Amino acid sequence: MDVFVERKSIREGVYCFIWQHFLLLVSLFVMTLGVVLCVRSGLGSSVISSAPLAMTLAGENGMAYPLSLGDYTNLLNALLVAGQVVVLRRRFEIVQLLQLVIGCVFGLLIDLNMYLTSSLVCDTIAYKIIAQLTGCTALGFGIAMEIRCGSITMPGEGLPVALSKVMGVPFAKAKICVDIILVVMAVSLCYLYFHEWLWNVVGFGTLFAMLYVGIVVKRLDPYMGWFGSLLGNRPGLHRVVYGLARYIKSKGSGNS
């Protein structure tokens, strides 16, 4: 009886893990869609994509190694994790290296959303503002969902958490400091490669995103109970998993 209960508990744990990270994937998709819409607006990218966007544009013009926006975002995320290791030293938990996995998925989804929005053209100020506002709202909504998932922290939040622990300052202040560093990095890259400030990389939209996204997350949080319930329900997950396994097995038997 104890073995049966233990196996059932393990199965439930697996279902919970799969469902939790499926919803995390959904939240990351929404977040990256928001990031990409900010890029498409041309009014200034979000903070996390500003330096990668500068490098991507430099690559497209033959001045840097030609990588996609998602690839350069992956490199930035790796740099942010390395920063946590330097700041925390022995206090850095090995499990936090999984941030690299989450960061990699984030980069891949950015490239996916860049492809899905490739036909989007913001050629008027009205379209630019709509794209920026929609992107920042989607980014805030995705972050609100990601927080509820309670999984590994994104690298962009992991470094401020590390600084907050070591320096004894509130997370909000540490987050602002990291955001400012990322923006300064992006502006420096613009001058390094293009010898001018690129307003489509760091512009009014970037400042708007820094202020507005936090407001969206704060305002949405009290209304995110439905997402918490969705996390807890895991509706029919075991039937989906078993059904998919049986379908694959039956197709394999039919082909043999």
Side-chain angles (χ1 to χ4, degrees):
M1 185 65 178
D2 290 340
V3 175
F4 175 77
V5 172
E6 183 179 351
R7 288 179 177 175
K8 184 178 180 181
S9 178
I10 292 174
R11 283 201 306 270
E12 286 298 320
V14 172
Y15 301 154
C16 180
F17 179 85
I18 295 173
W19 184 242
Q20 175 192 19
H21 287 83
F22 170 75
L23 293 179
L24 175 63
L25 185 64
V26 173
S27 69
L28 292 178
F29 179 84
V30 175
M31 288 172 64
T32 53
L33 177 60
V35 169
V36 167
L37 287 175
C38 290
V39 171
R40 295 292 187 195
S41 75
L43 294 178
S45 63
S46 62
V47 174
I48 194 64
S49 63
S50 56
L53 180 58
M55 290 301 300
T56 301
L57 294 175
E60 290 175 354
N61 287 274
M63 293 178 284
Y65 195 80
L67 294 176
S68 67
L69 179 59
D71 289 335
Y72 273 118
T73 301
N74 289 339
L75 292 176
L76 176 61
N77 284 329
L79 184 63
L80 292 172
V81 174
Q84 295 174 52
V85 176
V86 172
V87 170
L88 293 174
R89 298 185 181 182
R90 294 182 178 179
R91 286 195 282 174
F92 181 80
E93 300 175 353
I94 298 300
V95 70
Q96 292 302 323
L97 288 176
L98 290 175
Q99 290 181 40
L100 293 172
V101 178
I102 300 297
C104 183
V105 173
F106 189 82
L108 290 173
L109 289 175
I110 282 181
D111 283 344
L112 173 62
N113 276 306
M114 287 293 288
Y115 171 76
L116 294 176
T117 61
S118 57
S119 61
L120 179 64
V121 178
C122 298
D123 51 359
T124 66
I125 189 62
Y127 285 140
K128 290 176 182 291
I129 292 174
I130 291 172
Q132 185 74 38
L133 182 60
T134 304
C136 289
T137 303
L139 181 56
F141 183 51
I143 291 173
M145 289 194 294
E146 182 233 340
I147 293 172
R148 291 275 178 164
C149 287
S151 186
I152 299 297
T153 307
M154 285 287 295
E157 280 72 51
L159 183 56
V161 169
L163 291 172
S164 178
K165 288 181 180 178
V166 172
M167 301 175 64
V169 297
F171 169 80
K173 289 185 178 180
K175 175 65 174 172
I176 291 173
C177 290
V178 171
D179 285 350
I180 291 174
I181 291 172
L182 293 177
V183 169
V184 170
M185 183 188 303
V187 173
S188 300
L189 289 170
C190 289
Y191 277 104
L192 175 64
Y193 288 108
F194 299 97
H195 310 294
E196 63 177 333
W197 188 307
L198 298 183
W199 291 99
N200 61 320
V201 175
V202 178
F204 297 110
T206 308
L207 178 60
F208 176 73
M210 291 177 69
L211 300 174
Y212 179 73
V213 171
I215 295 174
V216 171
V217 175
K218 186 176 180 180
R219 292 294 178 88
L220 283 179
D221 188 64
Y223 302 99
M224 292 299 292
W226 63 271
F227 191 73
S229 300
L230 193 61
L231 272 167
N233 285 337
R234 305 187 299 279
L237 182 61
H238 62 290
R239 292 191 293 274
V240 173
V241 174
Y242 287 148
L244 180 60
R246 289 180 63 184
Y247 173 77
I248 294 174
K249 183 178 179 180
S250 65
K251 293 296 286 185
S253 299
N255 293 332
S256 59

